[in-house]
Amino acid sequence: MDGIGVLLQRGERTLKVVETGVVAMAKTRLEVNPNVAWALIDKGISTFKDDEKIGIGKPISPELLLAIEKSSVAVIVLSRNYASSTWCLQELVKIIECMKEREMRVLPIFYHVDPGDVRNQTGTFADAFAKHEIRFEKNLEKVQTWRNALREVANLSGRHLQNGRESEFIETIVDSIFRELSDTLSIVDEDSLIGIKYPVDELLYSHLQTWRDHEVRFIGLCGIGKTTVARVVFQRIRFEFQACSFLDNVSAECNVDALLEKLLSDMKLRSEKEKWDASKGRAVIKNRLCFKKVLIVLDDVDKNEQLETLVGNCNWFGKGSRIIVTTKDKHLLKRHDGVRDENIYMVKGLNEYNKDLDSKLFCQEAFGKPDCGIDFLDLCKDFVRYASGHPLALKVLGSSLFGKGREVWQSARAKLKAIPNKDIQKKLQLGFDALEDTEKKLFLDIACFFNGDRKDRVIDLLEGLDCYPTIDIETLIDKSLLTSSGKRLWMHNLLQKMGWEIVRCKHRRNPGKWSRLWLSDDILHVLKKNTGTNKVEGIMMNTPLHEEQLNANAFSNMKRLGLLKICNVHLPAGLEYLSNELHLLEWHEYPLTSMPNNFQPHNLVELIMPRCRLEQLPKGFSNLNKLKVLDLSNSQNLIKTPDFTGFSNLQRLILQGCTRLYEVHPSMGVLNRLVLLNLKDCQSLASLPYEINLESLKTVILSGCSNLIKFPAVGENMKRLSELYLDKTATKEVPLSIQNLTGLTLLNLSGCKQDHPSELWHSLFCLSALTSLVTLDLSDCNLSDGAIPGDLSGLSSLESLNLSRNNFTRLPDSISQLSKLKFLYLDNCSKLKLLPNFPSGTQLVMARECSSLENCSNQVTVWTSYETGFTIINCLGYVDDEKSKVSLQELHFQPRWRLLKILRKSPQRLLSLT
């Protein structure tokens, strides 16, 4: 912005109007109403008199000529005696030269002067030139130059005041000057910024809303490309305000007083000679701007002191003011009183606004046009994918490839996969370098191991590993280095790659000295060569392509190892050492029947060893009070669980598919924080502890425990259990205490066949107490007439009932009392003869292969349900022609008109709903 200004000539004086960087000068004798100067000052434009610097009769100073050259707009106020001033005429000649040479914009204002008198030099202009010709009789060429300059300026489009109200004209002049200045001070070329309109328009209409009210608003900008967005917004709306300032790169200025002086100068509240401290400056801002509508942008703020000193609060500024603050630290905005949460705008990546924008920007930089030819299409896609919508990366990558051949592009792509672009890396790393040590550690852990993982899991695993994840995660989110979507944490691809490069950069050729290992090739190199060191804190291996063999001392030098995930490796000589610092031990297909003798993993948070060969956990695993997840699923050798006395924080116990497991230790009753119990397909398990009374338990999965005859008694603390799966077990009855499960929403008893079918239903007369039950599955339970209780009204929340593959001939009429029932499944009830009345809200009734139905005479019957959809009954066999079948998904929640269309067009398609 330096050196861009407006030169205003007026009568017998010259007035210079400036935004920044150029000294303004003026002569003393005023013929134009002096209110013009005051109006300019009120608009935030300063005026300076030059009579203190230029004496009478002296030539124009070089400073003034230089000011003219540096100005972008000249506003010339032509009054009656304008031509009497040789200074004005000389300045006018200079202005016309600049207009021709570099397209300076010139706005003439005819103040009580006829443009014809100026053009033809008549009236007072004729008198003035008669005197000049006498005075400069030896240099008439100069006088002719002045005449020519006046003719040219008179031919320009300008403004003319004759008999109108002068106050209105003054306002028009000032607005013209300000608008000309605003149009000329182009901060950025908006047309060249692909996709910029999307965030700018969102910001203008959703947050700034300059047209809507007179409220003073503080607007926060975070995210990708926030500074560019702020510049464009500033450029778009600045003319709507009385004063404005854009303070660039605030974080780079250590002295807040210097920032304050710059702001005061932009607001025209400080002369060049004045030096003010923060205290005096704040007082001036509060006292002088509280009645002005101002626009201020503070770019890249990183300290609360900067906000407090420069913009304080809403009371400092006049009605309608807008204060825009860009920062990497969202929390800094939240702490400031003026910035409300709803006024913080996150600038997203280009691909989040429009899927083609990132490609257009890349191609614009790489080819000079927003698309590429077919020869480069595949390569373009790879580079665009790498940039992930980040404008800086797209521009840097695209410009680096401009004019290069396909072979160079291919080489650049290969290099980029191995080594990130330095220009991009340097820019992105500024945010990382500003972090505290614990925040840096967390950033690198997420970049290498946990991008996309659950927030609660990351906190659990990293707590105590030299970082404080609960607070540090929030800091990274506030600084836009991390985002939280739902329950998961996400890091931009470029930030993740930056993290990888930070880990690798010091010892690029020696991964054994890296703090983190995340690529299988690097991990296997370290483990097979036994080059691991005390610097290694985490190893996370994805499944390698081939099985590998490790020696017994592969982990012996990694004393600080806190995170270990490994798979598809063998230990022919055993394993000598594992770090006791481990928080995560995830070893798929652990090949040994024992663990290292000195392994005392008291810090374990997750123990995940699916398909391991252990028969039971070692004795050293007896006191794991930090353990939250124990997963030994599909471990065929496991015969019994450990004593759970020392597992006080266990939340997830997963022993699914442990087919030889025959005993669950009675101490399971102490697991008061257990949320999930999964014993699916534990075929040898014949019993569980007598009673389960775990207050945190939400899900119990016993599906496929084919030898489990009796489900334990349910204690009174089991209010949170919501899902109970007993399908394909040998359960003979459900205890009456099941009525304690007042939060139960799903009960699956499918396949629990009874020798005496009525026994199961008799044990379920307490179902009426399960008012929260939504889904009940009693399919394939060998139920016959009389087995189903006549009163089902207690199941007031039931939405889905599955009674398929049973032997009853009719259903109780009380089904009509299930007011929330939406789905009823009766498939393969071959003895079913009659259907009851259904509740009005029922959407779907499936009755395939119900060949005995009497009220459905071998045809498809379709009933309209109450507003919500259709009930469909099929009493026929399957249709052989696969093309004529229609899936349940096709019909589920189909709109009425579409179902009727299917029925009219091809009724046979409804004969076999699959």
Side-chain angles (χ1 to χ4, degrees):
M1 293 171 62
D2 288 351
I4 300 175
V6 177
L7 184 76
L8 174 63
Q9 278 198 328
R10 188 169 64 182
E12 294 234 343
R13 67 178 242 160
T14 304
L15 180 65
K16 177 69 177 54
V17 183
V18 190
E19 281 268 318
T20 60
V22 179
V23 179
M25 293 170 281
K27 291 184 180 178
T28 54
R29 203 169 73 213
L30 296 178
E31 188 165 305
V32 180
N33 191 313
N35 287 335
V36 173
W38 288 111
L40 290 169
I41 292 170
D42 185 62
K43 194 70 175 175
I45 301 173
S46 63
T47 61
F48 299 86
K49 294 182 179 180
D50 65 3
D51 58 316
E52 296 176 357
K53 297 182 179 181
I54 303 177
I56 296 175
K58 300 255 182 106
I60 298 176
S61 69
E63 290 85 355
L64 181 54
L65 294 176
L66 181 62
I68 295 174
E69 289 179 357
K70 289 186 175 181
S71 296
S72 296
V73 177
V75 181
I76 304 170
V77 180
L78 295 147
S79 60
R80 291 186 182 92
N81 291 330
Y82 179 92
S84 65
S85 170
T86 57
W87 286 355
C88 285
L89 293 171
Q90 291 177 50
E91 292 161 3
L92 179 61
V93 170
K94 183 67 174 180
I95 290 170
I96 297 301
E97 286 178 6
C98 292
M99 182 183 73
K100 293 179 177 179
E101 290 176 1
R102 57 181 185 81
E103 298 183 353
M104 172 191 275
R105 299 172 70 177
V106 178
L107 174 65
I109 296 175
F110 302 97
Y111 189 85
H112 296 296
V113 169
D114 190 321
D117 288 342
V118 178
R119 184 181 302 108
N120 301 316
Q121 284 105 51
T122 56
T124 58
F125 285 79
D127 296 338
F129 273 101
K131 294 178 181 179
H132 292 327
E133 288 178 347
I134 295 172
R135 182 180 176 184
F136 298 99
E137 59 180 341
K138 295 182 179 180
N139 192 3
L140 292 178
E141 289 183 4
K142 177 185 286 189
V143 177
Q144 188 59 44
T145 303
W146 294 344
R147 286 184 181 276
N148 295 338
L150 275 175
R151 290 192 186 97
E152 291 204 43
V153 77
N155 288 326
L156 298 174
S157 175
R159 297 186 181 276
H160 188 193
L161 173 65
Q162 287 179 306
N163 301 316
R165 294 177 60 183
E166 188 162 311
S167 61
E168 294 178 0
F169 185 70
I170 290 171
E171 184 177 349
T172 301
I173 292 173
V174 173
D175 283 344
S176 296
I177 295 170
F178 196 76
R179 287 178 181 274
E180 289 288 338
L181 183 62
S182 297
D183 291 343
T184 306
L185 282 174
S186 209
I187 302 170
V188 286
D189 181 6
E190 186 176 343
D191 293 337
S192 69
L193 297 174
I194 293 175
I196 195 67
K197 70 177 295 295
Y198 292 95
V200 167
D201 288 349
E202 278 190 8
L203 187 61
L204 287 172
Y205 292 103
S206 65
H207 290 70
L208 284 160
Q209 299 180 352
T210 54
W211 72 92
R212 182 176 178 182
D213 52 44
H214 297 295
E215 177 186 1
V216 177
R217 294 194 184 193
F218 278 67
I219 311 298
L221 263 67
C222 299
I224 301 171
K226 52 191 174 293
T227 296
T228 304
V229 171
R231 288 184 185 280
V232 174
V233 167
F234 184 80
Q235 178 173 293
R236 282 240 201 134
I237 65 174
R238 52 194 306 213
F239 63 85
E240 300 178 29
F241 298 85
Q242 293 175 288
C244 51
S245 175
F246 193 111
L247 293 186
D248 199 3
N249 203 10
V250 169
S251 63
E253 177 57 69
C254 299
N255 185 359
V256 73
D257 287 349
L259 293 168
L260 185 62
E261 288 185 359
K262 175 69 166 59
L263 177 63
L264 291 169
S265 178
D266 289 350
M267 295 285 109
K268 314 308 175 189
L269 300 178
R270 169 184 171 273
S271 71
E272 293 294 324
K273 297 179 181 179
E274 293 174 301
K275 297 291 182 183
W276 291 345
D277 60 18
S279 177
K280 183 179 178 181
R282 284 196 298 266
V284 171
I285 291 175
K286 287 189 286 186
N287 293 333
R288 298 279 296 278
L289 294 183
C290 60
F291 299 109
K292 284 184 180 294
K293 181 181 178 182
V294 302
L295 172 64
I296 298 174
V297 175
L298 303 183
D299 175 51
D300 198 23
V301 172
D302 64 350
K303 295 182 180 64
N304 192 57
E305 177 192 10
Q306 296 158 353
L307 288 178
E308 295 295 337
T309 300
L310 299 173
V311 292
N313 57 56
C314 295
N315 296 329
W316 286 24
F317 308 103
K319 294 180 179 180
S321 293
R322 296 292 185 265
I323 315 300
I324 301 174
V325 181
T326 79
T327 180
K328 300 181 184 75
D329 189 351
K330 188 178 180 182
H331 185 61
L332 185 146
L333 295 173
K334 293 180 178 178
R335 292 201 310 268
H336 189 70
D337 291 338
V339 187
R340 299 196 297 264
D341 282 346
E342 61 269 24
N343 280 338
I344 298 176
Y345 179 77
M346 294 296 299
V347 185
K348 301 182 284 289
L350 284 178
N351 53 350
E352 296 181 71
Y353 291 106
N354 185 295
K355 65 179 182 179
D356 295 326
L357 289 177
D358 48 359
S359 179
K360 289 180 179 179
L361 177 57
F362 175 79
C363 291
Q364 186 66 47
E365 297 293 329
F367 300 102
K369 57 182 181 179
D371 54 63
C372 65
I374 190 68
D375 291 342
F376 287 87
L377 182 60
D378 57 329
L379 292 166
C380 283
K381 288 180 178 179
D382 287 342
F383 284 105
V384 169
R385 191 181 301 112
Y386 175 89
S388 300
H390 200 296
L392 169 68
L394 291 163
K395 294 179 74 173
V396 169
L397 293 175
S399 59
S400 69
L401 295 167
F402 182 82
K404 303 292 195 302
R406 183 175 173 85
E407 290 184 359
V408 176
W409 279 57
Q410 291 171 332
S411 178
R413 179 177 60 180
K415 181 180 178 181
L416 202 59
K417 290 181 179 179
I419 306 173
N421 182 281
K422 286 185 177 181
D423 292 335
I424 300 172
Q425 175 89 2
K426 183 177 179 180
K427 182 72 174 178
L428 294 177
Q429 195 167 331
L430 293 174
F432 175 84
D433 292 340
L435 297 175
E436 301 291 340
D437 288 345
T438 61
E439 297 161 358
K440 289 179 179 178
K441 185 180 187 306
L442 175 67
F443 177 91
L444 295 178
D445 281 334
I446 293 175
C448 295
F449 301 142
F450 299 116
N451 193 9
D453 215 327
R454 298 193 326 272
K455 178 180 177 180
D456 59 345
R457 181 177 186 242
V458 174
I459 291 174
D460 288 342
L461 288 175
L462 299 184
E463 193 74 55
L465 283 177
D466 297 329
C467 66
Y468 302 89
T470 302
I471 181 63
D472 289 346
I473 283 174
E474 296 305 315
T475 300
L476 295 184
I477 292 173
D478 289 338
K479 293 181 181 297
S480 302
L481 296 173
L482 201 62
T483 58
S484 180
S485 177
K487 297 182 179 180
R488 297 187 177 271
L489 298 173
W490 296 97
M491 183 178 288
H492 192 278
N493 288 351
L494 288 180
L495 291 173
Q496 183 178 34
K497 291 179 174 65
M498 179 193 75
W500 295 348
E501 184 63 14
I502 290 171
V503 171
R504 288 184 293 213
C505 64
K506 290 183 179 179
H507 306 282
R508 185 171 298 279
R509 297 184 180 277
N510 189 357
K513 292 185 177 182
W514 298 354
S515 60
R516 295 156 183 85
L517 296 164
W518 62 95
L519 297 177
S520 295
D521 289 346
D522 294 327
I523 294 169
L524 290 173
H525 173 82
V526 170
L527 296 180
K528 292 173 70 175
K529 301 291 185 180
N530 198 21
T531 58
T533 67
N534 199 40
K535 294 184 180 295
V536 180
E537 300 174 13
I539 295 175
M540 292 279 207
M541 176 192 283
N542 293 319
T543 306
L545 295 177
H546 307 288
E547 293 183 353
E548 301 288 347
Q549 293 188 354
L550 306 181
N551 66 55
N553 295 308
F555 300 96
S556 296
N557 296 325
M558 304 181 199
K559 309 296 184 183
R560 298 175 58 205
L561 190 64
L563 304 168
L564 175 60
K565 176 183 176 182
I566 195 167
C567 54
N568 214 16
V569 296
H570 293 286
L571 298 163
L575 183 63
E576 293 294 328
Y577 175 83
L578 280 175
S579 169
N580 290 334
E581 299 300 315
L582 283 174
H583 283 213
L584 168 67
L585 175 55
E586 183 173 349
W587 196 316
H588 295 241
E589 298 184 87
Y590 179 71
L592 305 178
T593 57
S594 63
M595 302 291 285
N597 292 330
N598 58 353
F599 186 37
Q600 303 289 326
H602 300 313
N603 293 303
L604 273 181
V605 176
E606 292 187 6
L607 177 59
I608 303 173
M609 300 181 70
R611 299 179 299 282
C612 72
R613 295 188 180 182
L614 298 175
E615 290 187 0
Q616 60 186 36
L617 289 183
K619 293 181 180 179
F621 287 58
S622 59
N623 185 21
L624 303 181
N625 55 21
K626 294 182 180 179
L627 192 68
K628 293 191 175 183
V629 177
L630 176 58
D631 182 354
L632 302 175
S633 55
N634 299 301
S635 297
Q636 304 299 324
N637 293 346
L638 191 71
I639 57 176
K640 59 181 180 180
T641 67
D643 184 339
F644 294 110
T645 304
F647 293 57
S648 57
N649 280 298
L650 192 65
Q651 296 178 1
R652 298 169 63 85
L653 177 57
I654 304 171
L655 301 174
Q656 172 181 333
C658 295
T659 55
R660 295 180 61 195
L661 180 71
Y662 69 88
E663 179 184 356
V664 174
H665 199 278
S667 60
M668 188 180 74
V670 305
L671 301 177
N672 286 323
R673 297 193 177 183
L674 193 68
V675 175
L676 169 66
L677 174 62
N678 185 352
L679 298 171
K680 182 180 179 181
D681 294 329
C682 292
Q683 299 170 3
S684 300
L685 187 64
S687 64
L688 290 171
Y690 171 75
E691 182 184 61
I692 298 181
N693 194 24
L694 304 176
E695 60 185 19
S696 300
L697 196 58
K698 293 183 178 180
T699 304
V700 174
I701 304 175
L702 298 171
S703 308
C705 294
S706 53
N707 281 308
L708 185 65
I709 298 174
K710 186 176 182 180
F711 184 76
V714 178
E716 294 182 355
N717 292 329
M718 299 277 285
K719 310 296 184 185
R720 295 186 180 180
L721 189 71
S722 61
E723 297 184 3
L724 176 57
Y725 296 86
L726 295 172
D727 48 306
K728 297 182 182 178
T729 65
T731 302
K732 300 296 183 185
E733 60 181 1
V734 177
L736 292 176
S737 57
I738 197 174
Q739 60 189 335
N740 288 329
L741 302 178
T742 54
L744 194 67
T745 60
L746 183 150
L747 177 59
N748 190 341
L749 291 164
S750 176
C752 293
K753 298 180 183 294
Q754 305 299 310
D755 297 332
H756 302 286
S758 61
E759 289 180 1
L760 178 63
W761 272 110
H762 289 160
S763 69
L764 287 176
F765 273 108
C766 55
L767 278 178
S768 58
L770 302 180
T771 56
S772 60
L773 197 64
V774 174
T775 301
L776 176 61
D777 192 339
L778 291 162
S779 60
D780 199 21
C781 286
N782 199 24
L783 300 177
S784 58
D785 287 338
I788 303 178
D791 185 8
L792 299 176
S793 59
L795 299 174
S796 56
S797 299
L798 196 66
E799 296 182 7
S800 177
L801 175 60
N802 193 343
L803 296 173
S804 300
R805 299 187 299 282
N806 282 304
N807 298 322
F808 41 73
T809 63
R810 61 181 300 161
L811 295 171
D813 292 335
S814 59
I815 281 182
S816 63
Q817 299 174 19
L818 301 177
S819 59
K820 293 188 178 180
L821 188 68
K822 295 179 181 178
F823 312 109
L824 177 61
Y825 303 95
L826 299 167
D827 292 343
N828 297 99
C829 292
S830 58
K831 296 182 180 181
L832 182 64
K833 295 182 177 181
L834 294 173
L835 292 174
N837 292 323
F838 300 123
S840 58
T842 302
Q843 295 178 1
L844 183 66
V845 176
M846 298 294 293
R848 294 173 295 185
E849 299 293 325
C850 295
S851 55
S852 299
L853 274 176
E854 296 176 358
N855 55 353
C856 186
S857 56
N858 289 336
Q859 60 183 352
V860 175
T861 306
V862 180
W863 288 278
T864 303
S865 72
Y866 181 71
E867 294 183 352
T868 56
F870 287 80
T871 298
I872 300 173
I873 294 181
N874 174 18
C875 58
L876 301 180
Y878 289 106
V879 175
D880 293 331
D881 183 5
E882 290 293 330
K883 293 182 179 180
S884 66
K885 294 182 179 181
V886 60
S887 68
L888 173 60
Q889 286 76 15
E890 283 184 74
L891 292 173
H892 218 165
F893 300 117
Q894 288 281 10
R896 179 175 181 175
W897 65 268
R898 187 172 293 170
L899 282 173
L900 290 173
K901 182 177 180 181
I902 292 174
L903 184 60
R904 285 196 301 267
K905 184 176 180 180
S906 182
Q908 69 273 15
R909 293 186 69 205
L910 295 178
L911 298 182
S912 183
L913 300 176
T914 58

